[in-house]
Amino acid sequence: MTPNDAPGDVPAGRKLAAGEYGYNDLEIHDHYETAGVTVTEAHVVGFAGLSGDLFDVHMDDEFARGLGFPGRIAHGLLGLSLADGLKTRSPIRLLGVATLSWNWSFKGPILIGDRIHAAIAVAGKRDTKRPDRGIVTLGMRVLKQTGEAVQEGETLLMMRLRDSASA
Ligand SMILES: C[C@@H](O)CC(=O)SCCNC(=O)CCNC(=O)[C@H](O)C(C)(C)COP(=O)(O)OP(=O)(O)OC[C@H]1O[C@@H](n2cnc3c(N)ncnc32)[C@H](O)[C@@H]1OP(=O)(O)O
């Protein structure tokens, strides 16, 4: 899966089994699907308070309907945050050091009650000067229960090697 593939395409490469993966365990085109999470009103209200983003489109159904949405919509960064939380721990545990970048598109709204998960594929790998670390490019798509891809893009993740004593 890459962000340019159509939803539903069967990706090339290995489907990763649940477990722990270091930089040295991953190959280009490896892919997996995360567990899912249902977006709740508590998520939206909590994220509004945390971020300070109280824009009416997230807080007021009538206002959101006036903009053509079915009701108030989740913050885009809430959806990304939930998907990012699933990305490295469920059911695949990636041995990350730090996220280095995101190149991201918000393509459709996430509504309260939607269940989302992420489809992730290794799109690139590069070694760094440190022998115990490498950087992977992950193509990532956030999907709703309907199969609609509502967010997608790429992220760079610095990872450590599995069994790396200095990590
Ligand atoms: C899984 C998630 O939960 C994780 C997170 O969200 S972590 C929170 C968000 N991320 C951060 O706060 C990370 C901030 N960055 C850092 O602290 C440092 O950049 C670092 C500790 C990750 C790396 O620093 P350092 O050890 O000093 O390494 P270098 O700067 O020498 O870089 C090592 C190689 O990585 C390349 N690189 C660094 N940053 C980026 C970047 N943003 N994009 C692309 N590539 C990057 C750098 O070119 C070096 O490559 P080389 O071939 O080894 O020269």
Side-chain angles (χ1 to χ4, degrees):
M1 197 275 304
T2 74
N4 293 325
D5 294 333
D9 282 356
V10 178
R14 293 186 302 175
K15 182 171 182 179
L16 297 181
E20 184 175 271
Y21 294 84
Y23 174 75
N24 49 328
D25 298 314
L26 294 178
E27 297 170 10
I28 291 176
H29 299 312
D30 284 351
H31 58 91
Y32 64 97
E33 302 224 355
T34 69
V37 60
T38 301
V39 179
T40 65
E41 180 170 26
H43 281 131
V44 173
V45 172
F47 194 83
L50 188 68
S51 65
D53 181 349
L54 301 167
F55 183 36
D56 292 336
V57 77
H58 308 304
M59 312 307 289
D60 182 338
D61 279 320
E62 199 174 327
F63 179 89
R65 281 195 284 272
L67 294 180
F69 296 110
R72 59 189 154 138
I73 62 173
H75 305 73
L77 291 176
L78 167 60
L80 174 56
S81 299
L82 291 171
D84 189 44
L86 294 167
K87 178 191 77 182
T88 47
R89 68 172 166 77
S90 175
I92 302 298
R93 183 163 170 255
L94 298 182
L95 298 182
V97 175
T99 298
L100 300 179
S101 68
W102 287 96
N103 181 6
W104 203 246
S105 297
F106 302 98
K107 298 165 62 71
I110 297 172
L111 306 174
I112 290 167
D114 278 342
R115 188 162 180 82
I116 59 170
H117 77 284
I120 295 169
V122 179
K125 278 188 74 170
R126 85 164 181 86
D127 298 343
T128 67
K129 290 196 200 77
R130 280 185 60 153
D132 60 338
R133 291 182 178 181
I135 298 173
V136 292
T137 305
L138 300 176
M140 185 162 161
R141 181 179 284 149
V142 178
L143 300 143
K144 297 218 286 199
Q145 69 281 358
T146 55
E148 180 192 359
V150 286
Q151 302 188 3
E152 66 184 22
E154 283 193 344
T155 180
L156 290 186
L157 179 66
M158 182 178 281
M159 294 182 65
R160 59 193 164 93
L161 276 62
R162 196 154 53 89
D163 304 321
S164 170
S166 58

